[in-house]
PDB file of all heavy atoms in Angstrom:
ATOM      1  N   ASP A 203       6.505   5.457  19.334  1.00  0.00           N
ATOM      2  CA  ASP A 203       6.315   4.044  19.416  1.00  0.00           C
ATOM      3  C   ASP A 203       4.948   3.641  18.631  1.00  0.00           C
ATOM      4  O   ASP A 203       4.970   2.625  18.059  1.00  0.00           O
ATOM      5  CB  ASP A 203       6.292   3.519  20.815  1.00  0.00           C
ATOM      6  CG  ASP A 203       7.622   3.721  21.474  1.00  0.00           C
ATOM      7  OD1 ASP A 203       8.621   3.842  20.711  1.00  0.00           O
ATOM      8  OD2 ASP A 203       7.674   3.839  22.698  1.00  0.00           O
ATOM      9  N   VAL A 204       3.848   4.409  18.821  1.00  0.00           N
ATOM     10  CA  VAL A 204       2.659   4.142  18.175  1.00  0.00           C
ATOM     11  C   VAL A 204       2.855   4.115  16.607  1.00  0.00           C
ATOM     12  O   VAL A 204       2.490   3.131  15.908  1.00  0.00           O
ATOM     13  CB  VAL A 204       1.579   5.131  18.495  1.00  0.00           C
ATOM     14  CG1 VAL A 204       0.236   4.879  17.752  1.00  0.00           C
ATOM     15  CG2 VAL A 204       1.248   5.036  20.079  1.00  0.00           C
ATOM     16  N   LEU A 205       3.515   5.110  16.182  1.00  0.00           N
ATOM     17  CA  LEU A 205       3.747   5.194  14.693  1.00  0.00           C
ATOM     18  C   LEU A 205       4.653   4.080  14.261  1.00  0.00           C
ATOM     19  O   LEU A 205       4.484   3.435  13.222  1.00  0.00           O
ATOM     20  CB  LEU A 205       4.427   6.559  14.480  1.00  0.00           C
ATOM     21  CG  LEU A 205       4.677   6.947  12.992  1.00  0.00           C
ATOM     22  CD1 LEU A 205       3.364   6.941  12.095  1.00  0.00           C
ATOM     23  CD2 LEU A 205       5.376   8.307  12.866  1.00  0.00           C
ATOM     24  N   ARG A 206       5.681   3.829  14.984  1.00  0.00           N
ATOM     25  CA  ARG A 206       6.726   2.708  14.721  1.00  0.00           C
ATOM     26  C   ARG A 206       5.970   1.437  14.645  1.00  0.00           C
ATOM     27  O   ARG A 206       6.208   0.693  13.602  1.00  0.00           O
ATOM     28  CB  ARG A 206       7.753   2.709  15.709  1.00  0.00           C
ATOM     29  CG  ARG A 206       8.966   1.848  15.334  1.00  0.00           C
ATOM     30  CD  ARG A 206       9.906   1.703  16.437  1.00  0.00           C
ATOM     31  NE  ARG A 206      10.821   2.785  16.507  1.00  0.00           N
ATOM     32  CZ  ARG A 206      10.919   3.580  17.640  1.00  0.00           C
ATOM     33  NH1 ARG A 206      10.144   3.420  18.687  1.00  0.00           N
ATOM     34  NH2 ARG A 206      11.837   4.631  17.684  1.00  0.00           N
ATOM     35  N   LEU A 207       5.089   1.152  15.537  1.00  0.00           N
ATOM     36  CA  LEU A 207       4.374  -0.152  15.495  1.00  0.00           C
ATOM     37  C   LEU A 207       3.449  -0.322  14.337  1.00  0.00           C
ATOM     38  O   LEU A 207       3.374  -1.336  13.708  1.00  0.00           O
ATOM     39  CB  LEU A 207       3.545  -0.322  16.873  1.00  0.00           C
ATOM     40  CG  LEU A 207       4.347  -0.800  18.025  1.00  0.00           C
ATOM     41  CD1 LEU A 207       3.476  -0.825  19.191  1.00  0.00           C
ATOM     42  CD2 LEU A 207       4.905  -2.246  17.774  1.00  0.00           C
ATOM     43  N   GLU A 208       2.721   0.808  14.075  1.00  0.00           N
ATOM     44  CA  GLU A 208       1.761   0.740  12.963  1.00  0.00           C
ATOM     45  C   GLU A 208       2.525   0.573  11.651  1.00  0.00           C
ATOM     46  O   GLU A 208       2.050  -0.106  10.739  1.00  0.00           O
ATOM     47  CB  GLU A 208       0.934   2.096  12.969  1.00  0.00           C
ATOM     48  CG  GLU A 208      -0.370   2.020  12.207  1.00  0.00           C
ATOM     49  CD  GLU A 208      -1.360   1.037  12.731  1.00  0.00           C
ATOM     50  OE1 GLU A 208      -1.223   0.518  13.817  1.00  0.00           O
ATOM     51  OE2 GLU A 208      -2.347   0.726  12.073  1.00  0.00           O
ATOM     52  N   LEU A 209       3.753   1.240  11.487  1.00  0.00           N
ATOM     53  CA  LEU A 209       4.442   1.127  10.299  1.00  0.00           C
ATOM     54  C   LEU A 209       4.957  -0.322  10.150  1.00  0.00           C
ATOM     55  O   LEU A 209       4.830  -0.926   9.030  1.00  0.00           O
ATOM     56  CB  LEU A 209       5.604   2.011  10.280  1.00  0.00           C
ATOM     57  CG  LEU A 209       5.369   3.383   9.984  1.00  0.00           C
ATOM     58  CD1 LEU A 209       6.494   4.378  10.391  1.00  0.00           C
ATOM     59  CD2 LEU A 209       4.964   3.732   8.546  1.00  0.00           C
ATOM     60  N   ALA A 210       5.356  -0.956  11.265  1.00  0.00           N
ATOM     61  CA  ALA A 210       5.880  -2.274  11.138  1.00  0.00           C
ATOM     62  C   ALA A 210       4.679  -3.242  10.801  1.00  0.00           C
ATOM     63  O   ALA A 210       4.931  -4.158  10.138  1.00  0.00           O
ATOM     64  CB  ALA A 210       6.509  -2.646  12.446  1.00  0.00           C
ATOM     65  N   ARG A 211       3.591  -2.950  11.391  1.00  0.00           N
ATOM     66  CA  ARG A 211       2.446  -3.899  11.221  1.00  0.00           C
ATOM     67  C   ARG A 211       1.881  -3.932   9.699  1.00  0.00           C
ATOM     68  O   ARG A 211       1.597  -4.894   9.098  1.00  0.00           O
ATOM     69  CB  ARG A 211       1.299  -3.379  12.182  1.00  0.00           C
ATOM     70  CG  ARG A 211       0.311  -4.561  12.583  1.00  0.00           C
ATOM     71  CD  ARG A 211      -0.257  -4.163  13.911  1.00  0.00           C
ATOM     72  NE  ARG A 211      -1.168  -3.105  13.717  1.00  0.00           N
ATOM     73  CZ  ARG A 211      -2.439  -3.288  13.463  1.00  0.00           C
ATOM     74  NH1 ARG A 211      -2.952  -4.392  13.216  1.00  0.00           N
ATOM     75  NH2 ARG A 211      -3.221  -2.150  13.440  1.00  0.00           N
ATOM     76  N   ARG A 212       1.864  -2.610   9.144  1.00  0.00           N
ATOM     77  CA  ARG A 212       1.239  -2.580   7.814  1.00  0.00           C
ATOM     78  C   ARG A 212       2.270  -2.462   6.748  1.00  0.00           C
ATOM     79  O   ARG A 212       1.917  -2.562   5.495  1.00  0.00           O
ATOM     80  CB  ARG A 212       0.401  -1.312   7.731  1.00  0.00           C
ATOM     81  CG  ARG A 212      -0.810  -1.325   8.751  1.00  0.00           C
ATOM     82  CD  ARG A 212      -1.714  -0.273   8.652  1.00  0.00           C
ATOM     83  NE  ARG A 212      -2.782  -0.449   9.714  1.00  0.00           N
ATOM     84  CZ  ARG A 212      -3.903  -1.220   9.614  1.00  0.00           C
ATOM     85  NH1 ARG A 212      -4.033  -1.818   8.436  1.00  0.00           N
ATOM     86  NH2 ARG A 212      -4.628  -1.330  10.636  1.00  0.00           N
ATOM     87  N   ALA A 213       3.573  -2.123   6.932  1.00  0.00           N
ATOM     88  CA  ALA A 213       4.684  -2.163   6.024  1.00  0.00           C
ATOM     89  C   ALA A 213       4.259  -1.376   4.800  1.00  0.00           C
ATOM     90  O   ALA A 213       4.364  -1.956   3.663  1.00  0.00           O
ATOM     91  CB  ALA A 213       5.070  -3.519   5.681  1.00  0.00           C
ATOM     92  N   PRO A 214       3.820  -0.088   4.943  1.00  0.00           N
ATOM     93  CA  PRO A 214       3.442   0.670   3.700  1.00  0.00           C
ATOM     94  C   PRO A 214       4.685   1.230   2.989  1.00  0.00           C
ATOM     95  O   PRO A 214       5.741   1.199   3.525  1.00  0.00           O
ATOM     96  CB  PRO A 214       2.628   1.826   4.303  1.00  0.00           C
ATOM     97  CG  PRO A 214       3.310   2.071   5.593  1.00  0.00           C
ATOM     98  CD  PRO A 214       3.757   0.670   6.103  1.00  0.00           C
ATOM     99  N   ARG A 215       4.463   1.612   1.787  1.00  0.00           N
ATOM    100  CA  ARG A 215       5.523   2.317   0.975  1.00  0.00           C
ATOM    101  C   ARG A 215       5.053   3.889   1.130  1.00  0.00           C
ATOM    102  O   ARG A 215       4.065   4.291   0.649  1.00  0.00           O
ATOM    103  CB  ARG A 215       5.399   2.063  -0.473  1.00  0.00           C
ATOM    104  CG  ARG A 215       6.012   0.724  -0.836  1.00  0.00           C
ATOM    105  CD  ARG A 215       5.576   0.151  -2.188  1.00  0.00           C
ATOM    106  NE  ARG A 215       5.416   1.138  -3.238  1.00  0.00           N
ATOM    107  CZ  ARG A 215       6.442   1.670  -3.970  1.00  0.00           C
ATOM    108  NH1 ARG A 215       7.651   1.198  -3.785  1.00  0.00           N
ATOM    109  NH2 ARG A 215       6.135   2.558  -4.882  1.00  0.00           N
ATOM    110  N   VAL A 216       5.899   4.539   1.899  1.00  0.00           N
ATOM    111  CA  VAL A 216       5.639   6.006   2.107  1.00  0.00           C
ATOM    112  C   VAL A 216       6.122   6.837   0.980  1.00  0.00           C
ATOM    113  O   VAL A 216       7.319   6.878   0.816  1.00  0.00           O
ATOM    114  CB  VAL A 216       6.149   6.506   3.470  1.00  0.00           C
ATOM    115  CG1 VAL A 216       5.747   7.989   3.768  1.00  0.00           C
ATOM    116  CG2 VAL A 216       5.745   5.621   4.620  1.00  0.00           C
TER     117      VAL A 216
END
Side-chain angles (χ1 to χ4, degrees):
D203 292 336
V204 173
L205 182 60
R206 190 186 279 117
L207 278 176
E208 199 63 13
L209 284 164
R211 209 153 69 85
R212 299 187 181 274
R215 283 159 42 82
V216 183

